[in-house]
Amino acid sequence: MSITTTPDRTALQHLDPEDFRFTRKAWIAATPSRVYDLVSEVSMIGTWSPSASEVSYDAGAGPRAGAWFSGRNRRGDREWTSRSQVLSAEPGETFAFVVEGLVRWCWTFRPLGTGTVAEQSWQLLGLDPVLGTTRSELDALLAHMADSAEATLVALGRWVAEEGGDGAAW
């Protein structure tokens, strides 16, 4: 006998996606336009992110509002492919996109001294059992994504420092 269970959507009804968001920031030793160029070239994200790889724009697309891209994601021993759409691509200022209509990522870039404060924000836009069905599962997702964002910012800063902020290395 096998028992099939379906996600309890009623558990999600008592949760508010607004409760699941964070912002992390770091100073990067490069100009806002340089950091924007690195981040908006989505194929580079696997260089820094512990959770994403094999990211690429659709054929003919690039960093502009409305463009689509795909990538591999991982969390623990789970891996999947996701689709994202660019919401905002303002060189040197903002790069934002939505993943599967469920999560919004936004990068902003602000000059500070000889570098840039890069800010990475994550916000849950909707509740879906694929992300979790209980507050504790969604809290765990939030913590994982915040850790991933912090690791990405640190790795990006280190990469820029080692490769040179002027872009000569890539």
Side-chain angles (χ1 to χ4, degrees), residues 39-143:
V39 169
S40 67
E41 178 45 60
V42 296
S43 65
M44 294 290 293
I45 197 67
T47 305
W48 314 296
S49 174
S51 300
S53 63
E54 300 174 39
V55 184
S56 62
Y57 284 109
D58 289 0
R64 63 183 173 275
W68 286 89
F69 62 91
S70 298
R72 299 280 309 153
N73 302 98
R74 65 189 157 275
R75 180 174 173 218
D77 58 356
R78 288 187 50 222
E79 268 196 42
W80 65 96
T81 299
S82 63
R83 295 279 294 153
S84 300
Q85 185 174 31
V86 177
L87 297 175
S88 175
E90 299 170 31
E93 295 180 21
T94 306
F95 183 70
F97 57 93
V98 172
V99 182
E100 301 287 344
L102 295 172
V103 173
R104 179 177 186 265
W105 284 98
C106 181
W107 287 80
T108 59
F109 312 99
R110 181 175 49 84
L112 181 63
T114 59
T116 299
V117 174
E119 187 172 279
Q120 192 177 21
S121 299
W122 182 92
Q123 176 186 351
L124 198 59
L125 299 175
L127 299 171
D128 189 292
V130 72
L131 300 173
T133 59
T134 65
R135 171 164 282 291
S136 64
E137 288 175 352
L138 291 172
D139 284 341
L141 172 65
L142 179 69

Side-chain angles (χ1 to χ4, degrees), residues 34 38 44 47-48 154-164 170:
R34 172 70 173 131
L38 290 169
M44 294 290 293
T47 305
W48 314 296
V154 167
L156 173 59
R158 184 177 300 125
W159 188 88
V160 167
E162 291 170 358
E163 299 296 322
W170 71 286

